[in-house]
Every structure is written in structure tokens, then in C-alpha cells.
Amino acid sequence: MDRFGLFGKLTAKEGHGAQLAAILLEASHAMKEVSGCELYVVSTAENEPDAVMVYEVWINEEAHKASLALEATQNLIMQAKPIIAGMERISTFNPLGGKGL
């Protein structure tokens, strides 16, 4: 099966970018225990203080979908929901390999 990659952007309500980034970093730590997750990187943009980008690589799309049902993931989603102003799936992609994979 092919790997599944996802690049997304979450925008927090004004002034909550750091809080959203902290929640997503907590998610990245939780992903260390999820065998299907190969990469989960959280980034911020210098010119958008309330935007947080997440770059994910999974063994397949099913592993990604399954992760959304995990209790830890659901708890973090509930924490983040009140401060999210918008979400954008920038791209899905097929990771072929490279450093870190």
C-alpha cells in the first residue's frame, strides 16, 4: 500500500495561535505511540500568528482515519474546537521516501 500524506492549516481565533500550537504539539507526542504514523510535524508561520500547519505521513490512509477515533485524539479535538476559526486541507500527497521516512 502507498503511504498517505496530509498537509493542513488550522487557524485559531485571534490571539489563540500559541494555544492551538500547544494542543497540536501534544497531539504530535501522542502520535509517537501510534504505529501507523510515520511523521507528524507542527509548524507556525511568521506572517500568520494564529495559523498552525500540520504535516503528516501515515503508512496508509486507513491508519490516518483510524487515528481520528482514538481517545487521545478525540480529547485533543475537544480542547481545540472552541479556539479554531478555520481549517484548510492544503494538500494530500503520496510520500515516496527521503530523510525521516
Side-chain angles (χ1 to χ4, degrees), residues 23 67-82 84:
I23 291 168
S67 76
L68 298 175
L70 297 172
E71 184 178 349
T73 304
Q74 287 298 310
N75 289 337
L76 291 166
I77 289 170
M78 295 307 293
Q79 288 179 39
K81 268 186 175 183
I84 293 176

Side-chain angles (χ1 to χ4, degrees), residues 57-68:
V57 176
W58 295 85
I59 59 169
N60 55 43
E61 189 171 3
E62 291 75 28
H64 173 260
K65 288 178 182 177
S67 76
L68 298 175

Side-chain angles (χ1 to χ4, degrees), residues 30-45:
M31 289 302 119
K32 291 178 183 176
E33 304 301 320
V34 178
S35 62
C37 182
E38 295 186 325
L39 194 65
Y40 191 101
V41 178
V42 178
S43 304
T44 56

